[in-house]
Amino acid sequence: MRYEYSPITTRPAGRWPGGRKLAVYVAVGVEDYRFGEGLTEDLLPGVEAPDLVNTAWRDYGNRVGAFRLFHRLAEFGIPPTVLLNTMVYETAPDVTDAARRLGAEFVAHGITNSDTLAGLDAAAEKAYLSDVAGRIATAEGTPPGGWSSPWLTHTPRTPDLLAATGYRYVLDLRMDDQPVWLTTDSGPLLSIPYPLELNDSTTMVGRAASAADFTAMVIDEFDELLAAADEQPLVMGLVTHSFISGAPFRLRALSRALEHLAAHRDDVWFCRPGEIFREVAQHDRVGR
């Protein structure tokens, strides 16, 4: 394994900046798909080609949903984290422009979500990771600090190649409620807790949970972690997608959860993953 066992009961107390107990980041997946090829996220499975129905459902995110999600997060004073397919720079540049104006952090999320790292050899995988970092660096003026894999896929070399390519943290894993250092051939790589279940794709599309169910999950996760954070500084993540949570009925339900979170801002550090990385790297406040 890339990390050692460490029970949370043995770790020191502490606080995040401003004396806050719980760090919360909210990610918005902004994705692009190659029409008719590669992997897809489908609401209606089994549609025969040409699949205009699921394509249009996904396209809603970059035409409408992303802007409404960004606006709603801004209303609650929550800075967005964008899990970005870099092809969006070409296919929907207004989306990245809107995110940039709100001070979003862009986390590398592949070129398109039709892609997967699975099956790539070392040279091809390193080139892919480098291409994504280079495209974000060109657009934003600095390379991304973080990576989140399309479809959460990896090869046995992915952590090593991420560190070797200059990535400092990864948003893919949830083995803890605190960040955890992973070992790689090129030095440590920080794993920041990724909410596999507080993810509108895996939960509302993958497991057919309702918008109300998802909202209840977010609130319950938050309340439980906030109480547990009396003992140690913890991290909560929430992953949304522009074409899923950006749909009006889901956005209205999600807003009830965001309002609940924002009402506790005296105890909560609403932040971006890069800020968590910098705080952890400075103080080594991690789960190990």
Side-chain angles (χ1 to χ4, degrees):
M1 290 295 292
R2 299 275 183 171
Y3 53 91
E4 297 178 355
Y5 173 71
S6 167
I8 200 164
T9 53
T10 64
R11 299 179 210 152
R15 287 288 186 268
W16 294 111
R20 289 171 169 83
K21 301 190 301 181
L22 181 64
V24 174
Y25 72 87
V26 179
V28 180
V30 175
E31 298 177 348
D32 183 88
Y33 293 80
R34 296 190 303 273
F35 182 68
E37 57 180 291
L39 301 176
T40 58
E41 175 113 18
D42 295 337
L43 186 67
L44 297 177
V47 177
E48 294 186 4
D51 185 356
L52 301 179
V53 173
N54 285 302
T55 298
W57 173 69
R58 294 188 298 268
D59 282 347
Y60 183 91
N62 290 345
R63 296 170 67 92
V64 180
F67 302 103
R68 290 184 177 159
L69 268 170
F70 294 156
H71 178 72
R72 194 57 47 85
L73 289 173
E75 286 184 329
F76 289 112
I78 300 174
T81 297
V82 172
L83 309 183
L84 181 69
N85 288 165
T86 54
M87 189 60 69
V88 173
Y89 283 127
E90 280 66 55
T91 59
D94 291 285
V95 174
T96 48
D97 289 347
R100 192 180 303 114
R101 285 194 295 270
L102 293 174
E105 178 181 355
F106 292 91
V107 173
H109 191 44
I111 298 173
T112 86
N113 239 52
S114 297
D115 298 338
T116 174
L117 296 184
L120 295 181
D121 63 30
E125 185 177 7
K126 186 173 184 180
Y128 189 89
L129 299 177
S130 297
D131 286 349
V132 174
R135 183 65 185 90
I136 293 177
T138 297
E140 307 305 328
T142 185
W147 172 268
S148 181
S149 283
W151 303 101
L152 303 176
T153 56
H154 311 93
T155 75
R157 301 168 300 276
T158 300
D160 299 319
L161 294 174
L162 285 172
T165 310
Y167 293 94
R168 300 185 295 274
Y169 68 85
V170 61
L171 292 182
D172 279 348
L173 310 175
R174 171 78 180 274
M175 75 286 281
D176 211 293
D177 289 332
Q178 292 185 315
V180 175
W181 288 109
L182 307 180
T183 59
T184 81
D185 292 343
S186 297
L189 179 72
L190 191 66
S191 173
I192 296 176
Y194 176 90
L196 184 59
E197 294 181 275
L198 288 194
N199 179 319
D200 56 7
S201 172
T202 59
T203 297
M204 286 197 278
V205 176
R207 293 190 290 168
S210 71
D213 290 339
F214 189 68
T215 293
M217 289 170 60
V218 173
I219 291 172
D220 286 347
E221 176 97 350
F222 174 80
D223 287 349
E224 187 64 23
L225 284 176
L226 189 62
D230 284 335
E231 303 297 327
Q232 295 134 325
L234 304 179
V235 175
M236 173 180 166
L238 170 61
V239 173
T240 67
H241 292 78
S242 60
F243 55 92
I244 301 174
S245 287
F249 73 97
R250 295 194 190 95
L251 182 58
R252 179 54 61 99
L254 178 65
S255 296
R256 291 192 286 273
L258 297 177
E259 182 177 23
H260 180 80
L261 272 58
H264 296 270
R265 65 173 57 254
D266 287 347
D267 289 322
V268 176
W269 182 33
F270 289 108
C271 59
R272 290 150 288 222
E275 294 168 295
I276 295 174
F277 169 81
R278 288 188 289 274
E279 184 70 13
V280 168
Q282 180 179 357
H283 299 288
D284 198 27
R285 185 181 293 138
V286 296
R288 68 171 179 178

